[in-house]
Amino acid sequence: MRIVMWSKWASNLVFVALLGFVVLMVYWQQKLVTLEQEQKALGTKLGRMASLPSGKHEIGAFGDEIINSYEPLQDSNQGNVVDYSDTAVILYNRIPKTGSTSFMGMAYDLCSKNSFHVIHLNTTKNSHVMNPADQLRFAQNVSTWFERRPVIYHGHLGFIDFSSLGVPLRPLYINIIRDPLDRLISYYYFLRYGDDFRPEVVRKKQGNKETFDECVTRQGHDCDPLNLWMQIPFFCGHHSSCWEAGNSWALQQAKSNLARSYFLVGTTEGMEDFIGVLEVSLPRFFRGALKYFQDG
């Protein structure tokens, strides 16, 4: 009898606990939606308050239009078509171990020949995410720093939605993705042996001789299949859910951002095709890039 009563009591307790958990989850999800809406509204207000320099490159001269940084625009004040290729902004939020170092080595070599700037984005402790205030400051700085255009910004950083921050500029996002397992294996050995780009840097797992297969056998953290998720957050953004492996919302958000905001995404395995398309579509930056890549 006692066992039956204990079983019923335990079942009721579990039910109450689960019900409380569900209610709590719904409550915090609603709070999160409210906070995100308030953040977006605040970003819009602050973005509109951001002062822009006067002159022929003033974004404000075109009213409240959404401006893609490479499209020729009609100057409503002068009636002339302004070619914005000379003030274009490319944002390459590069994913680790996808060939990004080689790609940016090419960009650095081309920048003098094609007369554009390259700026590396450094974040505190090499973090891939920023808080909302830092995202807004970054977007405003990118939008108003005309002295360093045309420009390619690059760094290991999650996608930033300029529109949600009230900034009219739409940078040309590009990126490179890689077969997830190949990328994970490459990153595994990078942590132990580094690369030829900065061989003097002491890596986090330097001295560790364990092979990837041995790591898999013992089910180690560095070879955890959850690490295959790593490329998704770079397209999803800075929300904490973006960095939760397997999160279905994050995957859909990443796909939406890619389709809506990225000019071009290539693959490590198809790097030559990626560079060829960039040279044809963005010659202001990538004129001569294909020959450079093919010559090695």
Side-chain angles (χ1 to χ4, degrees):
M1 185 65 177
R2 288 183 179 179
I3 295 176
V4 173
M5 291 180 62
W6 172 259
S7 178
K8 289 182 178 180
W9 181 84
S11 298
N12 290 335
L13 181 63
V14 170
F15 175 76
V16 171
L18 287 174
L19 182 61
F21 177 76
V22 170
V23 171
L24 188 63
M25 285 293 293
V26 171
Y27 170 77
W28 281 112
Q29 284 179 351
Q30 291 177 340
K31 291 286 289 183
L32 181 60
V33 169
T34 301
L35 288 172
E36 288 178 341
Q37 290 174 344
E38 291 176 353
Q39 175 191 328
K40 185 174 181 178
L42 177 61
T44 300
K45 291 179 181 179
L46 293 176
R48 288 174 179 172
M49 292 171 60
S51 60
L52 295 173
S54 60
K56 64 179 182 179
H57 297 313
E58 184 178 1
I59 293 178
F62 300 94
D64 294 327
E65 292 183 70
I66 300 303
I67 297 176
N68 182 297
S69 65
Y70 205 79
E71 291 179 351
L73 298 173
Q74 189 75 28
D75 187 337
S76 57
N77 295 333
Q78 304 295 330
N80 300 320
V81 174
V82 181
D83 184 1
Y84 263 64
S85 64
D86 283 339
T87 57
V89 176
I90 293 177
L91 210 166
Y92 174 27
N93 62 319
R94 45 194 284 197
I95 300 169
K97 309 317 297 175
T98 58
S100 63
T101 298
S102 299
F103 179 83
M104 285 312 305
M106 177 191 69
Y108 276 109
D109 286 344
L110 289 174
C111 68
S112 297
K113 177 182 176 182
N114 292 340
S115 300
F116 64 88
H117 299 275
V118 179
I119 298 176
H120 183 218
L121 304 174
N122 289 308
T123 57
T124 304
K125 297 182 179 179
N126 295 318
S127 175
H128 300 324
V129 296
M130 295 181 182
N131 63 45
D134 287 340
Q135 290 180 54
L136 178 59
R137 279 192 291 268
F138 170 73
Q140 290 176 338
N141 289 339
V142 168
S143 299
T144 58
W145 197 8
F146 294 96
E147 294 80 6
R148 288 295 181 270
R149 294 192 189 178
V151 59
I152 299 177
Y153 290 94
H154 70 102
H156 297 309
L157 191 67
F159 169 79
I160 295 176
D161 185 358
F162 279 52
S163 65
S164 71
L165 300 171
V167 177
L169 177 71
R170 299 295 178 268
L172 297 175
Y173 269 99
I174 64 172
N175 218 323
I176 302 170
I177 58 177
R178 186 177 184 179
D179 177 276
L181 181 57
D182 290 343
R183 195 211 69 83
L184 177 57
I185 294 173
S186 177
Y187 187 67
Y188 179 89
Y189 286 109
F190 170 76
L191 292 178
R192 288 154 175 76
Y193 300 100
D195 57 18
D196 295 334
F197 181 63
R198 290 190 297 171
E200 74 283 358
V201 176
V202 178
R203 301 298 172 181
K204 185 164 57 175
K205 294 296 180 72
Q206 186 165 322
N208 184 321
K209 305 297 184 180
E210 183 179 54
T211 68
F212 187 82
D213 288 344
E214 290 169 343
C215 177
V216 171
T217 299
R218 71 172 183 85
Q219 299 181 345
H221 176 268
D222 289 348
C223 54
D224 191 323
L226 292 177
N227 294 325
L228 295 171
W229 178 260
M230 185 62 181
Q231 299 180 85
I232 303 299
F234 283 85
F235 294 100
C236 178
H238 296 251
H239 194 288
S240 59
S241 296
C242 293
W243 302 85
E244 295 175 1
N247 187 294
S248 58
W249 173 86
L251 178 59
Q252 293 305 316
Q253 187 66 29
K255 290 160 65 175
S256 175
N257 289 339
L258 191 155
R260 185 182 70 251
S261 300
Y262 277 79
F263 177 78
L264 187 67
V265 175
T267 66
T268 307
E269 298 80 6
M271 183 73 77
E272 183 172 337
D273 292 336
F274 176 65
I275 292 172
V277 173
L278 285 175
E279 179 169 354
V280 171
S281 56
L282 301 176
R284 182 66 180 79
F285 292 88
F286 297 103
R287 185 179 295 107
L290 189 58
K291 185 177 187 305
Y292 178 97
F293 177 81
Q294 291 172 340
D295 290 347

